[in-house]
Amino acid sequence: MIRIYTEIEQGKEWIAQYRGCPPLFACVLGFTETGLIPGISAAGRTSEDRKFTAVADAEFLYYGAEHKPKYPLPPLTAGASPVLISRAVVEALHIPVYFFNAGLPYPPNIPVIDLGGAAAKCLSHGNALKLSTVEHLLEVGLLWGERLAAKVQGSYVVLGECVVGGTTTALAILLGLGINAAGKVNSSHPVCNHNQKLAVVQAGLEKMKERWGGGVLGRFKFTPSPYLPISPSHVDPLQLVAAVGDPMQISTAAMAIALSRSCGVLLAGGTQMLAVYALMRAIALTYALPWRSQQVVVGTTRWVAEDPTGSTVELAQLINCSGSPVPLLATELTFSHSRYPQLQAYEQGFVKEGMGAGGTVIAAHLYQNWQQNQLLSAIETQIERML
């Protein structure tokens, strides 16, 4: 049920260490106006729909299908929200869930921990977030990582996310960190819109260059910051997030750094969580923050790991080339025999991942040894209740 694609021995050790352990699920919600660009994302049919995707998914994950939502799940071009998968697992296995608002345009209609962040502007302008906001989210993320770690002694935390347009901000962070991710990221579209993403990202990185003074990307003069980088020879990761990132990335990276010191971390997602991992590593290196890289894995769905229009495994290998490698895991869950066309759409490349879907399925297998039939039945029950 779980396939390891990179760093196989390290991945096997992580799985063996946490098999049978009860996990905790933390979901970090954020927003970037990048997600409003027409056609950039399929996580909501229109730009207006996409403003509400994160708050709607969070409400469904918290209450389930019977609840009359303040924010209904947005209509999709095809398929069903991946929150159905996450909800099926956390409900059946009674996994505790914590929600974090890293920066949303609308407050979620659920109990949520507000991190005091802000929604990001479109990354194409090269000033997505204030540097002070990024620094604040780093500090508060480290704090919440410690708090969550205290609740799961000897076990692990599944860290999920919801940011519409987040694979584009992920591309920006990866390229800014010197990882050649162009053409390798995923999307919610059946065929990834690589050219559109790259054009937006290149515009943002160019603006960032102009703002920070001359030289090639990766050789910037830094603006004064209370976080003084130890080595000025590479890009400051906090300034990179401020220029072209989103609030989820820095919050999740900080939480994961703190969590890794005393428990396991399953970064639940594909491209976005690979970018978070690269960001964690850059932050830990730049600011000499202690962390334990061997406690961290990235876990996603087979639809992401084997997306023929992206190169997730190759992307993970590229990230791993630059030190502190991370295992990439994926659930082998399939919807090819589902009764519902909304789920069969995943097999055609729609949706693929989100709201920690892949990570929660991996957790179901590790914790209670759930197999394909149990998972499919629990997920289809969610659809039945919805309909």
Side-chain angles (χ1 to χ4, degrees):
M1 274 302 293
I2 302 171
R3 183 166 171 197
I4 309 170
Y5 290 85
T6 64
E7 304 304 315
I8 289 168
E9 288 312 310
Q10 190 182 330
K12 282 180 181 168
E13 283 171 25
W14 193 95
I15 285 170
Q17 184 174 357
Y18 294 112
R19 193 179 290 283
C21 295
L24 180 151
F25 182 43
C27 192
V28 183
L29 311 169
F31 185 79
T32 167
E33 288 176 3
T34 311
L36 303 180
I37 297 171
I40 199 84
S41 170
R45 199 175 291 162
T46 67
S47 295
E48 189 60 28
D49 291 332
R50 294 194 289 275
K51 288 179 186 173
F52 298 96
T53 301
V55 288
D57 278 352
E59 192 170 355
F60 188 93
L61 184 59
Y62 186 80
Y63 287 112
E66 282 89 356
H67 168 77
K68 187 168 181 354
K70 178 179 176 183
Y71 302 111
L73 292 175
L76 305 179
T77 312
S81 170
V83 74
L84 290 164
I85 301 172
S86 315
R87 172 67 194 183
V89 172
V90 299
E91 181 185 326
L93 300 184
H94 307 290
I95 295 171
V97 183
Y98 290 78
F99 292 93
F100 293 91
N101 177 357
L104 291 167
Y106 303 100
N109 189 35
I110 55 166
V112 65
I113 296 154
D114 195 329
L115 297 177
K121 298 201 279 272
C122 181
L123 70 83
S124 61
H125 305 302
N127 61 340
L129 291 160
K130 289 179 180 167
L131 184 58
S132 58
T133 302
V134 176
E135 290 168 349
H136 168 77
L137 287 173
L138 174 65
E139 287 182 13
V140 78
L142 289 167
L143 178 70
W144 274 103
E146 286 174 17
R147 288 178 180 170
L148 291 176
K151 295 177 188 295
V152 290
Q153 283 144 355
S155 187
Y156 65 101
V157 173
V158 179
L159 275 178
E161 56 71 35
C162 189
V163 181
V164 176
T167 56
T168 306
T169 50
L171 175 62
I173 294 297
L174 289 163
L175 288 176
L177 292 174
I179 295 157
N180 185 14
K184 297 179 179 68
V185 300
N186 304 102
S187 79
S188 45
H189 292 288
V191 176
C192 186
N193 48 333
H194 290 297
N195 292 342
Q196 184 186 20
K197 287 181 189 296
L198 189 58
V200 173
V201 168
Q202 283 174 328
L205 291 175
E206 282 302 318
K207 290 270 178 27
M208 177 175 91
K209 241 192 255 193
E210 289 164 21
R211 183 167 290 111
W212 289 359
V216 293
L217 186 61
R219 298 275 168 185
F220 287 102
K221 296 187 181 79
F222 298 113
T223 51
S225 155
Y227 291 97
L228 289 173
I230 289 154
S231 160
S233 65
H234 63 285
V235 68
D236 179 319
L238 301 189
Q239 291 189 329
L240 180 64
V241 174
V244 294
D246 68 57
M248 178 283 294
Q249 295 167 324
I250 184 68
S251 308
T252 306
M255 280 185 204
I257 286 169
L259 284 164
S260 75
R261 295 166 187 167
S262 61
C263 68
V265 182
L266 172 51
L267 294 172
T271 302
Q272 285 172 264
M273 288 306 183
L274 285 170
V276 164
Y277 184 82
L279 184 62
M280 284 170 71
R281 195 171 60 193
I283 292 167
L285 187 70
T286 307
Y287 301 113
L289 294 179
W291 71 305
R292 294 172 66 202
S293 61
Q294 69 275 18
Q295 286 290 346
V296 186
V297 295
V298 172
T300 186
T301 63
R302 176 180 58 84
W303 304 298
V304 167
E306 299 177 11
D307 175 9
T309 78
S311 301
T312 317
V313 177
E314 193 186 339
L315 180 57
Q317 288 164 341
L318 274 179
I319 290 167
N320 290 347
C321 284
S322 39
S324 303
V326 67
L328 174 68
L329 319 178
T331 164
E332 295 189 302
L333 175 67
T334 171
F335 288 151
S336 49
H337 299 300
S338 174
R339 294 172 291 165
Y340 292 100
Q342 297 97 316
L343 295 182
Q344 284 176 3
Y346 279 72
E347 300 298 334
Q348 279 95 59
F350 291 94
V351 191
K352 299 186 191 75
E353 169 67 287
M355 289 299 286
T360 55
V361 172
I362 289 168
H365 182 67
L366 284 180
Y367 180 32
Q368 299 283 3
N369 198 28
W370 268 30
Q371 302 299 315
Q372 166 69 28
N373 57 338
Q374 289 159 291
L375 284 159
L376 184 59
S377 168
I379 296 159
E380 287 190 333
T381 299
Q382 295 294 327
I383 291 209
E384 279 160 31
R385 289 188 201 157
M386 250 172 64
L387 300 177

